[in-house]
Amino acid sequence: MSAKPDRAQGASLGIVLATYAIAMCGTTMPTALYPTLQDEYGLSTAASTQLFAIYAIVVLTVLCIFGSLSDAIGRKPVMIIGLLASAASGVLYAVAADAPMLFIARILSGVCAGLVTGTATAYLTDLVSSSARGASISSVANMIGLGSGPALAAFLTYFVPSTPMIAFSVHAVLSGLCMVLLALIPDTVAHRGRGLKPSLPLIPRFALRDYCVGGLMTLGFAVMGGCTAMTSILVVRAFGITDLRLLGLIGSLIFIATTVGQKAGGKLVSEKAYLGFAGLIIGTTLIALAPRLHGSAAVMVYLFGLLIAGLSHGALFPVGLGIVLRRIELRHRGSASSAFWVLGYALTALGALGLGWAGQFVGESMAVTWFGITIALCSAACLLLHRRWTRSAAQGAQRS
């Protein structure tokens, strides 16, 4: 008798995972194409990083305003609205005639991510009935989607050069298909008829300490924001690599490393968090060092830094998400997961904007060096705070 519900739940889980990954894929497609966009639309380096950062700012805004929406009207409607924004973004990219249209398309992409990120995390956690497992699989879907975007865009553009924006057309079609599939599966939230009422994503008072401890593990989002906005430009300008396929693979590297880190290092970091922070320190130090080197050594050190930083970030942030959600009941889960992603995207925007701003004054290479040093120092500070807060929490539990 239970086989049918199990199969139905498995189908729902697969559809939500695929939808989440495809939605995230569209958000990173421009990454490998920034040099092309600069040439085609006359964008400066600062404008390119702003094009990335405006996405993160929009995500942050949408999460803050509508972070609790799926708790009120259900997970499916919010996911479908997000996918509509994604499809519209793809169409605008495909027909863009000037830079303002690119920014509008990027804004719509941010709307999609803002609606889908927290909602999909809550949807998956509902389906598996485990905050730890829900956090784990949602973060894997997130990073698989983000990592596939640069590679898909670069390879499609390389093999179909006559249609430079073909990847965005393909993604618009995939978004439409996901909407159809979502319509076929059940929701996990009973509709309470409150409508489209904006509400901030909030953390219950009893879980504030969990939010602070888990929030420390989001620092790697700043690395992802900065490196995603700057990597393809740096690789072309400083390292002399112009092959579009290589740019796509390099743009995907930190996301691939993050995905591997979640599976390979999540359990280890949940027991020994200092290893994750130590990895961030090492990875960002290598990123800072790379532009000061020359030739193939510079490229290898930079890629190795991206790899270590990505692995460490991947091991850290799902553990942090699990900590935030571990005591949150279903009716507040969408709000709590959105609150976690608010912090992550705030750091993403800060990393991209900070690196782009510094690049205007000291050049791309020196900006990357100072960026790496800053994140390494912040990682050390987060490590010290994490040890202090977890120690005080353990002492408080012993007294009680």
Side-chain angles (χ1 to χ4, degrees), residues 60 63-64 201 211-219 221-222 324 337-350:
L60 183 62
L63 281 169
C64 285
Y211 182 74
C212 292
V213 173
L216 291 173
M217 298 181 172
T218 62
L219 181 62
F221 281 103
V324 171
S337 60
S338 292
F340 177 87
W341 289 109
V342 162
L343 185 56
Y345 277 103
L347 288 167
T348 300
L350 188 62

Side-chain angles (χ1 to χ4, degrees), residues 203-254:
I203 296 290
R205 186 181 296 273
F206 68 84
L208 284 176
R209 179 184 288 273
D210 290 342
Y211 182 74
C212 292
V213 173
L216 291 173
M217 298 181 172
T218 62
L219 181 62
F221 281 103
V223 184
M224 295 190 70
C227 292
T228 302
M230 184 64 79
T231 288
S232 59
I233 298 171
L234 182 73
V235 167
V236 171
R237 299 268 181 87
F239 302 151
I241 295 174
T242 57
D243 189 301
L244 196 54
R245 293 166 298 178
L246 282 176
L247 289 178
L249 293 174
I250 291 171
S252 296
L253 179 61
I254 193 168

Side-chain angles (χ1 to χ4, degrees), residues 183-209:
L184 301 176
I185 64 174
D187 210 324
T188 56
V189 172
H191 295 245
R192 294 194 283 276
R194 282 164 47 191
L196 294 173
K197 182 180 178 181
S199 57
L200 293 173
L202 299 175
I203 296 290
R205 186 181 296 273
F206 68 84
L208 284 176
R209 179 184 288 273

Side-chain angles (χ1 to χ4, degrees), residues 29 33 149-171 174 244-245:
M29 279 185 168
L33 303 180
L152 179 62
F155 277 81
L156 283 174
T157 304
Y158 179 85
F159 287 110
V160 192
S162 59
T163 313
M165 296 297 193
I166 186 172
F168 298 102
S169 300
V170 170
H171 189 263
L174 290 174
L244 196 54
R245 293 166 298 178

